[in-house]
Amino acid sequence: MRAARLLSLVLLLQNRGRLTAGELAGELGVSVRTVYRDIDALSGAGIPVYGDAGHGGGYQLLGGYRTRLTGLHADEAESLFLAGLPGAAADLGLGEVLAAAQLKLAAALPPPLRDRAGRIRERFHLDALGWYREQDTPSALAALADAVWNQRRIQVRYRRWAEPQEVERALDPYGLVLKAGVWYLVAAVDGAVRTYRVSSILRLEVGEDGFERPDGFDLAAHWQDYLTAYDARRLRLQASVRISPALLSALPDRLDAVLVRAVEDSAGPPDADGWVTATVPLESVGLAVPALLSLGADIEVLAPEELRRGIAETAGAVADRYRSADACGGAAGARSSSPADSVAGRATAARAPKP
């Protein structure tokens, strides 16, 4: 561990020039006292590192010195595939490994290319989280990643939506997927490949038994097929709607990509007022009512009748509630059972994919 840190220290000085003990400590995640000890060890080993005291001082390598110890070991080479997702690398326990790999790559580049790589890092940043979402970092993630990499069979206790809600599963973990800040496990159970939300794993035991991955299994291709099949299972209600010109131009900001594509594929020519008629897939009446009401008067449901009636009843109940409040001088009236309670009550938060 210390040998890797000493090499990282040399590479930092080689790539960036003069650095203070505090800056080195911050980069390496150690104390300043540890940096002092590491500098002494490098000097004792014949590495020409020296320090200048005072304002503007720091440590640097003797001009022209370059280490040739820039070969990547296996973990570092693997971690480079997560170079654009440092947060994900850290969640998987690869943060330090990735930093070391990037240092070695930078040290191996000639100065002009190293400068260009630095400019890219300064100007472009990938934020994979959706708006208003926090990073999902399950406690079992690092151990699960280790089982994936070492092809170890696992035993999990998992919470799901269906009854019984808590189940035991023996799984062959094929891979991990980070989708909009949420981690999913792709694993085989009894020969079938299934998907599990990692944060729903209540207990994880990594066994000693290994397993064989199927020849040619492509995690990215499997995930794309899974998303397509999941949307087909989830969006079972077909609704015919009219959409105003204003909403049509704002659809990418108001609906998810699946619904936007459905509108684009099915929209007919605009009528005299510029409205278009299209078919959109939805999950259920209970979930569709509040979702479509959030679009206001810029959308009109034509069919099915149950959905049209649910929207009309809920909109009417909302209007009645506010008229009642106005009549009471702005105070909220007593709560009462209404069509809105039965329709909107069926709406629940969108569920994560079920195994």
Side-chain angles (χ1 to χ4, degrees):
M1 186 69 176
R2 190 189 184 199
R5 188 177 70 244
L6 291 174
L7 177 58
S8 294
L9 194 156
V10 173
L11 292 173
L12 281 167
L13 295 176
Q14 180 174 306
N15 293 339
R16 304 186 190 178
R18 188 191 305 267
L19 292 171
T20 67
E23 289 170 335
L24 287 167
E27 291 287 344
L28 297 171
V30 297
S31 68
V32 172
R33 186 179 296 274
T34 297
V35 170
Y36 292 151
R37 288 198 296 265
D38 287 349
I39 293 292
D40 288 341
L42 289 172
S43 297
I47 304 297
V49 57
Y50 68 93
D52 293 323
H55 180 72
Y59 293 101
Q60 61 183 349
L61 295 171
L62 190 66
Y65 177 84
R66 292 182 63 83
T67 178
R68 298 301 177 186
L69 297 176
T70 54
L72 299 176
H73 62 64
D75 288 343
E76 291 170 344
E78 292 168 355
S79 73
L80 287 174
F81 289 98
L82 294 169
L85 295 169
D91 292 343
L92 294 172
L94 283 174
E96 292 183 6
V97 175
L98 177 59
Q102 291 173 324
L103 275 173
K104 289 182 178 181
L105 279 182
L109 293 173
L113 293 183
R114 188 161 63 243
D115 292 342
R116 288 177 62 87
R119 289 203 303 273
I120 290 175
R121 184 173 59 250
E122 292 168 356
R123 288 163 172 78
F124 298 98
H125 172 68
L126 174 62
D127 181 358
L129 289 180
W131 288 105
Y132 318 118
R133 296 289 298 272
E134 293 184 353
Q135 180 71 38
D136 179 37
T137 310
S139 59
L141 185 60
L144 189 56
D146 186 70
V148 169
W149 289 322
N150 293 298
Q151 293 186 207
R152 297 294 183 189
R153 188 159 289 146
I154 61 175
Q155 187 79 24
V156 302
R157 186 167 186 82
Y158 185 79
R159 181 188 293 114
R160 61 179 187 174
W161 290 98
E163 293 290 344
Q165 287 195 326
E166 294 188 9
V167 295
E168 298 278 345
R169 292 286 186 267
L171 304 175
D172 293 346
Y174 288 172
L176 288 162
V177 176
L178 180 62
K179 170 72 170 175
V182 179
W183 286 97
Y184 294 93
L185 170 69
V186 176
V189 53
D190 298 327
V193 181
R194 309 288 291 273
T195 300
Y196 302 85
R197 182 165 177 162
V198 176
S199 61
S200 295
I201 294 177
L202 305 177
R203 188 180 70 248
L204 169 69
E205 295 178 9
V206 180
E208 295 297 325
D209 295 337
F211 65 90
E212 293 296 324
R213 290 170 61 88
D215 290 339
F217 179 77
D218 186 324
L219 180 62
H222 169 82
W223 180 255
Q224 189 56 53
D225 292 342
Y226 168 78
L227 291 181
T228 301
Y230 174 67
D231 281 336
R233 295 194 308 271
R234 178 174 65 95
L235 303 173
R236 294 172 295 178
L237 176 68
Q238 297 292 317
S240 176
V241 298
R242 292 179 69 239
I243 301 172
S244 75
L247 177 58
L248 192 62
S249 62
L251 275 184
D253 297 324
R254 306 292 298 276
L255 297 176
D256 67 43
V258 174
L259 302 185
V260 173
R261 285 197 300 270
V263 171
E264 292 173 347
D265 293 342
S266 64
D271 61 18
D273 297 322
W275 288 57
V276 300
T277 300
T279 301
V280 294
L282 301 167
E283 286 195 57
S284 65
V285 170
L287 291 173
V289 166
L292 294 178
L293 277 175
S294 71
L295 300 176
D298 285 313
I299 189 168
E300 178 189 1
V301 173
L302 303 177
E305 181 58 32
E306 181 186 6
L307 177 57
R308 183 179 173 88
R309 183 172 59 252
I311 289 178
E313 290 174 349
T314 304
V318 170
D320 289 344
R321 179 67 51 85
Y322 281 89
R323 278 194 291 267
S324 175
D326 289 341
C328 296
R335 295 185 179 275
S336 60
S337 177
S338 69
D341 297 324
S342 60
V343 176
R346 295 200 299 269
T348 58
R351 298 189 180 95
K354 298 186 282 291

